[in-house]
Amino acid sequence: MKIKFQLPDPRKKIQSYRRFIQWGFLLLTLWIGFRFLLFVHQAGGSGAVTVTRPPGVEAFLPISALISLKYWALTGIFNTIHPASLVLLLIILAIGLFLKKGFCSWICPIGLFSEYLAKIHVWIFERPRNLPRFIDYPLRSLKYLLLGFFAYAIFFEMDTASLAAFINTPYNRVADVKMLLFFSHASALTLKVLAALVLLSVLVRFFWCRYLCPYGALLGILSWLSPLKIHRNEKSCIDCNKCNKVCPANIKVATSKTVWSDECHACLQCVDACPVKDTLHLSVTTRKGRMPRWMYAAAIVLLFLLGTTLARALGVWHNSISTQEYRHHIQNINDPVYNHFRGQQPPNTQNN
Ligand code: SF4
Ligand code: SF4
């Protein structure tokens, strides 16, 4: 029997491609994590270090990135301690502004994990169950409160001197190593919190993304400001409600002329589900500037690739901390000087 293999047409359905891209970024993240683990292991020993540190690991340092952003804005200096964290933050902000909250549903591994947990939710409850609005709305504000807390502490409380002091602290210089140790040597409390978040995400779909993720809050604001929106042609809509049923963010697409929600993460499942051609579409205005689904997928990947390639070309991708210095930090990582922001220099070492 001849097996016919056919890829889905990206002009009609984009979900398989979205999944492919999500898995691609997940595998990239795992590869980066594995390489960094090897690097830390080798640098912490006394033998040769044969693995180079992957700069992409700085994607997990959002606070350091926000501090670097303000420092860059005030001084014009792109700090060299964790430059990739700032590059990645700028790429994510650009995605938010131009391509809505697509980072969450196309790139973020936690977004992918949450989607699988949401499938378990539907399997258990047989259909999506959403929290009542009087609980949902206050909970949604939590992520904005968290974002507000960080934004206030950094943008209102820290002057140039304290920003520079933080950037050069031993704590910040090894923030990547400490983040790795936080997960690879997770305490019982950390494991309990992670397990609780997984459980909550099964009970309530996208619990972390919808209620707690400060990155999601930041992207929600930018996405709301983004000129790109999902529009519905009221004339051709047949009120089948298929768009409502597939929307993971519980947005009432079928009764919206334009989707303005900060919760829309541009997964395009509603556009894929709509049975009437050109009734739901991504565009800048209701009529003009329509963006095909395949173009959106290509744009999100290209923006990421172009941003990181440009950063390499400009020399702001790799950090300035030598392997020697990393070795010193890792071998002394239990020294209290690395515990939190104290504005101190590492023991027996000079800033490189
Ligand atoms: S409105 Fe459409 S694109 Fe936005 S989250 Fe819902 S299904 Fe995804
Ligand atoms: S899926 Fe399309 S046709 Fe059906 S309600 Fe939504 S916009 Fe209208």
Side-chain angles (χ1 to χ4, degrees), residues 165-312:
F166 176 87
I167 287 168
N168 283 297
T169 48
Y171 173 78
N172 187 48
R173 291 177 92 86
V174 291
D176 47 358
V177 179
K178 289 192 74 76
M179 183 62 77
L180 178 79
L181 295 177
F182 178 77
F183 287 108
S184 61
H185 293 71
S187 66
L189 178 64
T190 305
L191 290 175
K192 280 179 194 164
V193 170
L194 291 176
L197 286 173
V198 168
L199 183 65
L200 284 167
S201 298
V202 170
L203 296 174
V204 182
R205 292 183 306 157
F206 298 93
F207 187 87
W208 168 261
C209 307
R210 192 172 176 91
Y211 301 128
L212 295 176
C213 180
Y215 241 130
L218 181 59
L219 286 169
I221 295 168
L222 290 172
S223 165
W224 199 83
L225 297 172
S226 171
L228 196 66
K229 295 275 181 281
I230 288 173
H231 298 286
R232 184 178 63 97
N233 184 339
E234 291 170 298
K235 287 185 188 143
S236 58
C237 173
I238 55 170
D239 298 322
C240 66
N241 276 329
K242 285 188 176 172
C243 48
N244 283 0
K245 284 182 193 147
V246 296
C247 179
N250 194 27
I251 296 167
K252 304 291 172 235
V253 187
T255 44
S256 311
K257 196 167 178 223
T258 299
V259 173
W260 273 98
S261 174
D262 60 327
E263 294 300 332
C264 171
H265 37 84
C267 63
L268 305 186
Q269 290 187 66
C270 54
V271 186
D272 268 3
C274 181
V276 188
K277 192 170 181 280
D278 292 338
T279 295
L280 279 181
H281 60 269
L282 261 178
S283 64
V284 173
T285 67
T286 46
R287 284 159 198 264
K288 290 184 182 163
R290 287 189 183 198
M291 188 181 225
R293 280 164 272 184
W294 66 266
M295 196 184 281
Y296 183 87
I300 213 157
V301 175
L302 273 178
L303 200 53
F304 208 88
L305 291 178
L306 284 176
T308 49
T309 307
L310 186 67
R312 282 169 208 270

